[in-house]
Amino acid sequence: EDYVEEEETSSNGLHRGKSVGGTQKKDDNTPVTSSIPLKPPPTIVDLLLPPSKPLAATELVSPFTWPCLAGATACRVLHRYKRLKNEVDDNLRTFRELPCLSVAERRRREAIAPQRIFSECAALDIDGVNPLEQSINHLCDGKSYHELSPLQRLCILRLLVEAGYDTHRVNQCVEDNFKARINAGKALEAEERRAKRVAKEETSAAEAKARERLAAEAKATFFNRKRREIARNNKHTGEFTSEYIAGLTDDDIIEFDEDTKAEYESLPTVDGFNRSEVNTMVAKIQEEEAFDTHALLVLTMDEIQAREESTLASMEERLAQYGDVDSVYQVHTDRETSAKIDKLRREISTFEQATLSLPHMRAAAVESLKDAIEDGTVKALRAAIKSAKLAKLTGIDDDTDGVWALDLLRDAALELKTAERRKRVTEAHKDLIAKRNKCFIRTDPLGQDRYRNNFWHFDNDESGRVWVESDYVLKDCSCDETTSIDLCVDTNLVIGKKTASIGACDEVKDLLYDELELSMNNDQKEVFLQFCNQEYHSSSMVSTLVRQHWGCHVTDQSLRVLVKNLSGRGVREGQLKTALKEILEASGLSAAPSESSQQNANEQQSRPESSIMGSTAQHHDNQDGRSDNSEYQIDGDKDAFQQAKALAESKLDNTGSTVDTSLIVNISSAIGMRVRLRIVPDPVTAPKSVNYEMGTVLGWKTRRRQSQSIDSEQDTSEGVAGIDAQKEPVWRLALDKGGDMDLSCTDLIHGLTCMIKWKTQYKGYIEDDAPFLAYRNSMGRFCGRASDAPTSCSPSSFAKLLLKREQEHYMHLKNRSYENNWGGKSGARNAWMASIKEYGYDQKVIRDGLLTLEDAFFELSGGFKDDLDTQSDTGGTSCPNGRDLLNDENTRFDIELESLGTDIQALWNSRGTRAIFREIVESSTTIHILALCLDLLCRNCTVYLNATKPTATRKSSIEQPVGTRRMNAWQLSQQQTYQSYY
């Protein structure tokens, strides 16, 4: 629709002044009259596409043609966004009553339009060319998608995603999601209010219970005190007997005298206690409920030790009461006394042994309790409390028949109750949260820390990974490098303002128009511009978008350290800490020392190792998620690295070829180098399931060669000088996904070469077994078998499609032809089909086969008629040169390869059209263009068949009735006519 409007708006100063597509000269004084940008000349893909937008059910979109269609679609989308940007500029200038832009200024702004629209497309390559427009031109010229750089692919994807969000269907989906999300949010808020109401009711019940207990304790204290007073007074008066005093009940004490009754009535009631007393009693009740007891005695570590010393002293005192133990045994004592002495001695011995081992266990348990309290997760707290119980930091209190516990253990038990309550609320809200998250709009950050760094967790990412988005600290490149920078700032976050800037700068003239600029002095202008620049960065040093620094927490240890360092009392960090704890709970990453960790370690030891390039790999992780790399050296591996090169050159890898070390000749040490590994997780049951992982070499060491590899590598090492057959060097690799592993010589060299080839896009390097090749998109156009998806755009698959299309159109074209030289006795058709089937893997054969098929269809359609010769592009019967027509951009605007209308008498509308088509096929280098050419050929064949369809049908002179009974009656009535005829 935009292109149609462009043709109608021919008065635009930016549009071509001639019908052949010529452009006017730049004129700084000529104002623009339209916001529609200059229409780009048609590309090869545009010439092969139909004039109207293809329908959703068309076969034009296929695994062969999607790169070309992506480029053509991106070209049109970018043209539309340029128009929208021009409309914004014109509307702003109209609102500010500024003069219209000139043609030169408009073209300058259109040249940097990709940088003004998409921040991902703002980067420039080495030649200073924008990657978005470069990738669009690359695909529209019919070149391979694999030749694009990762940045160019990102630009195309970003543009198509943005266009998809601007469609009416997606817009309607987003609106529906908004409504559903609002309803789900309201339901979640209602559930949260209900949970708060339940929590408030529980708090009220706890306060009521605390008040009742306070009142009961006050009464009990009053009655005990009065009993003691009555007994003490009775000693002097002797008025009552001891049996009478012992049998006094609470009612008797109340009615004992008027003063006692008045004092009883003055006792505080349930509502007579202040808030502090009630809160203290509530906390005490919660502590007792946490330990499931009616009385709790909280002790410090010193008090526990003093208590144990007192217990040991009392046990020794009891043993000393029996006198000399040896003499007791010499005297004939009864069996019961001997058993008591033996039991007491065993208890003293066990207690003394425990006294020696308990300090270490208690120190570890205390550290575990502190870490668990900081962690705040249920799993960590339960494991820490269990270890504290094993360290005897709690026990039975004989005095109160309750429980005594360490104060830190008390805090951990209370935190466990809070975590369990939070987990119950989270599980109760899980369904509503899942329903709300299904109505996806966009991902919101988890929160911010004190430095305003944003923390993100993505739903489709690996569980437990948290991303950190940080702002760079900008510095002026013109200043001295020793300019003072805050010492708290990480040096990795300091960057020059020129390097940090992405995209096009703001147009100062749009902000400071003439009248405003004249009314300000230089200081006011600078303050005004700095205020405007704060939209991009707090330093106000740049007027463009600024890069962001991204990092990721991939291990449980880093996440737990992050949670510990966050302040729960902060406005921002409190919410962030709660969100991170929920992520730890959901992902099960709260690591704590427990029996399961040791069990998992034993399972990993008994599990077979993964295969890396046909050799063994060993992972080393401890309980804390960290590895011990103290035995590895961080330098001095030059000789070992040279030996690894020599060994890798003499040893075959799993593909049966030697490792190419020409790319790492200038590398003298592997420390600090990046490595890309090919890992087979299960080489026995799933040898084709491969993962590619990357990491950094941390250090190296020498170890004794494994027995299973001594015999296999001894012959290889004997031919290489300087290699010990008993020892081998290994390098420590830190994986990007977390964890460490050891690499042998061959694995290291192969990983280094693969990393260089992968990073530099080395010609001929391809990972045929990469996981993404086996991915099948359920929303894609490919509807065949899953095993055919990786080869769906190969030449062999296109050869099958070529044979299928020929069979579909041959029979219909044969019926309209008087001379069939294609499928007749000449055998050309059979020879063509045999060559396509036999050599269909070769792209040149496929290209020649398509040209042969076009010749056959052209002859079957009758060729050009004599009356069409005068309508050809060049006149006469001479065949025009298709290459010259394609290279002339002025003639591309008038080229139409599609057969349009109803008066179609040939396969092509002119000789020039056929010449251009054959030139495109002959010069094509990819299957994508051949597929578009085949589709265009089939469309023209379909149009020709529909236009040459017979219009007159033969009718019977006798009307025949419809139906069985009427047919029989009709045959009887016509019997005489038949007899007379024969």
Side-chain angles (χ1 to χ4, degrees):
E1 296 175 357
D2 294 342
Y3 286 169
V4 173
E5 187 175 353
E6 290 177 11
E7 296 295 335
E8 296 176 354
T9 316
S10 60
S11 61
N12 187 358
L14 294 178
H15 286 184
R16 53 192 175 94
K18 300 179 182 180
S19 60
V20 294
T23 57
Q24 297 181 352
K25 296 181 179 180
K26 295 182 179 179
D27 189 0
D28 296 339
N29 299 324
T30 303
V32 294
T33 58
S34 176
S35 60
I36 301 177
L38 179 66
K39 179 181 178 181
T43 61
I44 294 178
V45 176
D46 294 332
L47 297 178
L48 298 176
L49 293 177
S52 59
K53 185 176 69 173
L55 300 177
T58 184
E59 295 182 354
L60 181 63
V61 182
S62 66
F64 305 103
T65 60
W66 69 265
C68 299
L69 294 179
T73 305
C75 180
R76 287 157 173 78
V77 172
L78 180 60
H79 186 273
R80 172 175 173 78
Y81 283 140
K82 286 182 179 180
R83 174 182 175 179
L84 295 177
K85 201 67 177 179
N86 292 340
E87 291 178 356
V88 172
D89 291 342
D90 294 341
N91 293 333
L92 288 175
R93 300 187 73 85
T94 302
F95 176 75
R96 294 175 178 270
E97 297 182 357
L98 298 176
C100 298
L101 292 174
S102 62
V103 175
E105 181 65 18
R106 173 57 61 83
R107 287 181 177 175
R108 186 187 67 82
R109 296 194 179 194
E110 289 179 356
I112 61 174
Q115 302 181 21
R116 302 175 64 193
I117 299 172
F118 306 108
S119 60
E120 295 87 343
C121 310
L124 301 178
D125 59 4
I126 300 176
D127 299 331
V129 182
N130 185 269
L132 177 59
E133 295 180 341
Q134 192 178 24
S135 59
I136 290 176
N137 296 333
H138 181 89
L139 295 179
C140 289
D141 290 340
K143 298 181 181 179
S144 176
Y145 178 80
H146 297 286
E147 297 178 1
L148 295 177
S149 64
L151 179 61
Q152 291 174 340
R153 299 180 188 183
L154 175 63
C155 293
I156 293 292
L157 180 62
R158 176 68 174 86
L159 185 65
L160 296 178
V161 169
E162 187 69 21
Y165 273 103
D166 286 345
T167 58
H168 175 72
R169 182 180 182 87
V170 176
N171 187 20
Q172 186 66 32
C173 180
V174 170
E175 291 181 357
D176 296 340
N177 283 350
F178 265 117
K179 295 178 181 179
R181 191 179 181 89
I182 291 173
N183 296 333
K186 291 180 179 179
L188 182 59
E189 291 177 358
E191 181 65 22
E192 290 177 352
R193 288 195 297 268
R194 189 192 66 80
K196 290 181 180 179
R197 185 173 63 253
V198 171
K200 187 176 180 180
E201 293 176 355
E202 292 178 355
T203 304
S204 301
E207 291 182 356
K209 185 177 180 181
R211 292 179 181 277
E212 292 177 357
R213 183 168 177 177
L214 286 173
E217 289 181 354
K219 291 180 180 179
T221 303
F222 170 77
F223 289 129
N224 292 334
R225 181 169 56 83
K226 284 298 179 182
R227 281 192 175 90
R228 289 194 299 268
E229 291 180 357
I230 294 174
R232 186 170 57 252
N233 296 330
N234 189 52
K235 289 181 180 180
H236 300 286
T237 59
E239 183 179 358
F240 306 103
T241 62
S242 58
E243 292 80 3
Y244 176 79
I245 295 176
L248 289 176
T249 61
D250 295 342
D251 295 335
D252 296 337
I253 293 175
I254 294 173
E255 300 295 336
F256 190 78
D257 55 13
E258 295 296 332
D259 295 336
T260 303
K261 186 175 182 181
E263 189 175 356
Y264 174 78
E265 292 177 354
S266 63
L267 289 176
T269 59
V270 174
D271 299 331
F273 299 96
N274 55 27
R275 176 63 62 179
S276 61
E277 295 175 344
V278 174
N279 293 338
T280 304
M281 182 56 66
V282 168
K284 185 177 180 181
I285 294 175
Q286 290 177 353
E287 293 173 0
E288 294 172 352
E289 291 178 352
F291 286 88
D292 194 15
T293 183
H294 66 279
L296 177 65
L297 178 61
V298 181
L299 303 175
T300 62
M301 185 63 71
D302 296 336
E303 293 175 349
I304 293 176
Q305 294 176 358
R307 189 185 184 94
E308 291 175 349
E309 293 176 358
S310 176
T311 303
L312 181 61
S314 63
M315 294 171 63
E316 292 177 349
E317 183 180 355
R318 287 168 53 194
L319 182 62
Q321 291 178 359
Y322 291 97
D324 189 3
V325 179
D326 297 333
S327 63
V328 171
Y329 280 106
Q330 292 177 1
V331 181
H332 297 284
T333 58
D334 57 330
R335 184 178 299 177
E336 183 178 358
T337 304
S338 300
K340 289 181 180 180
I341 294 174
D342 292 340
K343 181 179 178 182
L344 191 57
R345 294 182 66 180
R346 286 195 303 269
E347 290 179 355
I348 293 174
S349 177
T350 304
F351 199 90
E352 290 177 349
Q353 292 178 0
T355 305
L356 298 177
S357 60
L358 279 179
H360 302 285
M361 296 178 59
R362 286 177 175 177
V366 168
E367 293 296 329
S368 178
L369 288 173
K370 292 180 180 179
D371 294 341
I373 292 174
E374 291 290 339
D375 192 298
T377 55
V378 176
K379 182 178 179 181
L381 289 168
R382 286 178 178 174
I385 292 175
K386 184 177 181 180
S387 62
K389 290 181 179 179
L390 294 176
K392 295 184 178 180
L393 294 178
T394 182
I396 303 299
D397 188 12
D398 298 332
D399 297 336
T400 60
D401 197 15
V403 176
W404 63 268
L406 182 67
D407 51 359
L408 191 60
L409 179 58
R410 183 267 318 268
D411 298 338
L414 293 177
E415 185 68 22
L416 176 61
K417 288 294 182 180
T418 304
E420 290 177 347
R421 189 183 306 108
R422 182 174 62 248
K423 187 175 182 179
R424 287 195 300 269
V425 173
T426 302
E427 291 178 353
H429 298 171
K430 187 182 298 182
D431 297 336
L432 294 175
I433 293 175
K435 183 179 179 181
R436 184 195 64 183
N437 293 338
K438 286 182 180 179
C439 309
F440 175 77
I441 303 298
R442 64 180 302 166
T443 302
D444 296 327
L446 298 176
Q448 292 182 340
D449 60 2
R450 69 194 68 177
Y451 303 109
R452 298 188 181 276
N453 298 322
N454 292 323
F455 290 78
W456 300 82
H457 176 69
F458 303 102
D459 295 336
N460 296 326
D461 195 7
E462 296 183 4
S463 60
R465 293 213 304 185
V466 177
W467 294 82
V468 185
E469 179 189 9
S470 305
D471 291 333
Y472 280 107
V473 178
L474 303 185
K475 65 176 181 179
D476 194 351
C477 297
S478 60
C479 299
D480 188 7
E481 295 294 336
T482 60
T483 303
S484 61
I485 299 176
D486 191 358
L487 297 177
C488 297
V489 177
D490 188 1
T491 56
N492 296 325
L493 298 179
V494 180
I495 190 174
K497 66 177 184 179
K498 185 176 181 181
T499 307
S501 301
I502 56 176
C505 298
D506 281 344
E507 299 293 339
V508 181
K509 294 182 179 180
D510 293 346
L511 300 174
L512 289 175
Y513 50 91
D514 297 337
E515 296 180 359
L516 181 60
E517 187 174 4
L518 293 176
S519 62
M520 290 183 178
N521 53 30
N522 294 332
D523 295 338
Q524 292 176 346
K525 293 178 185 178
E526 184 177 358
V527 172
F528 177 75
L529 293 178
Q530 288 180 358
F531 173 76
C532 297
N533 294 341
Q534 287 183 357
E535 178 184 359
Y536 304 107
H537 197 267
S538 58
S539 63
S540 303
M541 297 176 63
V542 293
S543 60
T544 62
L545 295 175
V546 182
R547 303 180 187 273
Q548 299 289 325
H549 182 273
W550 285 85
C552 183
H553 295 275
V554 296
T555 61
D556 58 338
Q557 178 68 16
S558 62
L559 274 181
R560 290 194 290 118
V561 170
L562 174 62
V563 172
K564 292 177 184 178
N565 293 332
L566 294 176
S567 175
R569 299 180 179 179
V571 178
R572 292 184 297 270
E573 291 190 354
Q575 299 178 357
L576 176 62
K577 190 171 185 178
T578 303
L580 292 177
K581 286 183 178 180
E582 292 178 356
I583 292 177
L584 285 172
E585 290 285 0
S587 59
L589 288 177
S590 55
S594 59
E595 297 178 354
S596 60
S597 61
Q598 184 65 27
Q599 182 179 359
N600 295 335
N602 297 333
E603 292 179 357
Q604 290 181 0
Q605 293 178 1
S606 61
R607 191 179 303 166
E609 300 291 349
S610 302
S611 175
I612 303 181
M613 298 304 301
S615 62
T616 58
Q618 297 179 358
H619 294 257
H620 302 277
D621 294 323
N622 60 10
Q623 294 179 353
D624 296 336
R626 298 170 296 179
S627 57
D628 186 11
N629 299 324
S630 58
E631 57 180 341
Y632 293 87
Q633 304 176 16
I634 60 176
D635 56 2
D637 67 328
K638 294 183 179 181
D639 296 338
F641 188 65
Q642 296 300 327
Q643 295 176 8
K645 290 182 182 179
L647 182 61
E649 290 177 351
S650 61
K651 183 181 177 182
L652 300 179
D653 59 5
N654 62 340
T655 60
S657 59
T658 58
V659 180
D660 184 14
T661 59
S662 60
L663 298 176
I664 57 175
V665 173
N666 298 327
I667 301 177
S668 60
S669 175
I671 306 300
M673 299 299 296
R674 298 282 294 169
V675 177
R676 182 173 178 84
L677 298 178
R678 177 182 179 270
I679 298 178
V680 183
D682 193 354
V684 179
T685 59
K688 295 184 179 180
S689 179
V690 179
N691 295 329
Y692 284 87
E693 295 186 3
M694 294 188 293
T696 306
V697 179
L698 299 180
W700 78 287
K701 71 174 183 178
T702 57
R703 69 179 181 187
R704 184 176 180 82
R705 193 180 298 275
Q706 299 178 0
S707 59
Q708 61 182 357
S709 62
I710 290 179
D711 298 335
S712 62
E713 295 186 359
Q714 188 173 6
D715 298 335
T716 304
S717 61
E718 288 178 355
V720 181
I723 294 183
D724 190 357
Q726 300 298 328
K727 294 184 179 181
E728 63 175 353
V730 292
W731 282 263
R732 192 66 162 178
L733 181 71
L735 297 175
D736 293 347
K737 292 185 177 181
D740 299 333
M741 67 169 55
D742 289 339
L743 294 181
S744 63
C745 298
T746 306
D747 295 336
L748 174 67
I749 301 302
H750 193 279
L752 289 173
T753 55
C754 288
M755 184 65 191
I756 295 175
K757 292 180 180 180
W758 177 81
K759 188 175 182 180
T760 60
Q761 295 186 1
Y762 190 77
K763 186 176 181 181
Y765 176 75
I766 183 172
E767 297 173 351
D768 298 328
D769 50 4
F772 73 91
L773 292 176
Y775 171 73
R776 184 182 182 187
N777 186 5
S778 59
M779 299 179 63
R781 184 60 188 164
F782 183 75
C783 301
R785 295 181 302 176
S787 58
D788 297 338
T791 60
S792 58
C793 58
S794 60
S796 58
S797 299
F798 182 73
K800 297 178 183 179
L801 179 64
L802 192 63
L803 294 173
K804 180 180 179 182
R805 293 291 180 264
E806 191 273 341
Q807 294 176 0
E808 291 176 355
H809 293 86
Y810 169 68
M811 296 302 297
H812 301 286
L813 289 173
K814 183 184 70 172
N815 296 333
R816 288 167 173 75
S817 176
Y818 294 100
E819 297 181 0
N820 185 5
N821 296 326
W822 173 246
K825 297 180 179 180
S826 62
R829 182 169 182 261
N830 294 332
W832 177 83
M833 295 176 64
S835 63
I836 294 298
K837 291 179 180 179
E838 185 175 359
Y839 303 101
Y841 59 87
D842 191 355
Q843 185 174 342
K844 295 182 179 179
V845 176
I846 298 300
R847 182 186 60 191
D848 297 339
L850 181 59
L851 291 173
T852 305
L853 181 64
E854 190 275 336
D855 284 332
F857 283 1
F858 181 72
E859 292 179 1
L860 290 175
S861 63
F864 290 112
K865 304 299 185 295
D866 295 338
D867 56 348
L868 289 178
D869 292 341
T870 57
Q871 300 178 9
S872 61
D873 293 343
T874 59
T877 58
S878 61
C879 182
N881 191 349
R883 181 173 300 179
D884 296 339
L885 296 176
L886 281 177
N887 294 335
D888 189 1
E889 292 186 358
N890 295 330
T891 59
R892 282 195 180 187
F893 285 95
D894 300 329
I895 295 176
E896 182 56 61
L897 302 182
E898 197 84 14
S899 296
L900 303 176
T902 57
D903 188 14
I904 304 297
Q905 300 181 3
L907 189 63
W908 304 103
N909 52 26
S910 65
R911 299 181 186 275
T913 302
R914 186 180 182 225
I916 292 172
F917 175 81
R918 295 184 66 85
E919 175 61 27
I920 293 175
V921 176
E922 291 174 356
S923 61
S924 64
T925 58
T926 60
I927 294 293
H928 316 311
I929 293 296
L930 296 180
L932 289 177
C933 292
L934 177 62
D935 192 84
L936 173 63
L937 181 62
C938 295
R939 292 199 306 270
N940 286 350
C941 287
T942 303
V943 173
Y944 169 76
L945 293 174
N946 294 333
T948 58
K949 186 184 298 183
T951 56
T953 58
R954 183 179 300 174
K955 295 183 180 180
S956 176
S957 59
I958 303 176
E959 236 181 81
Q960 297 183 0
V962 181
T964 305
R965 296 176 58 188
R966 294 185 180 182
M967 178 64 72
N968 295 335
W970 176 81
Q971 290 177 354
L972 291 175
S973 62
Q974 299 295 330
Q975 187 175 7
Q976 297 179 357
T977 304
Y978 291 150
Q979 291 177 357
S980 62
Y981 178 78
Y982 290 107

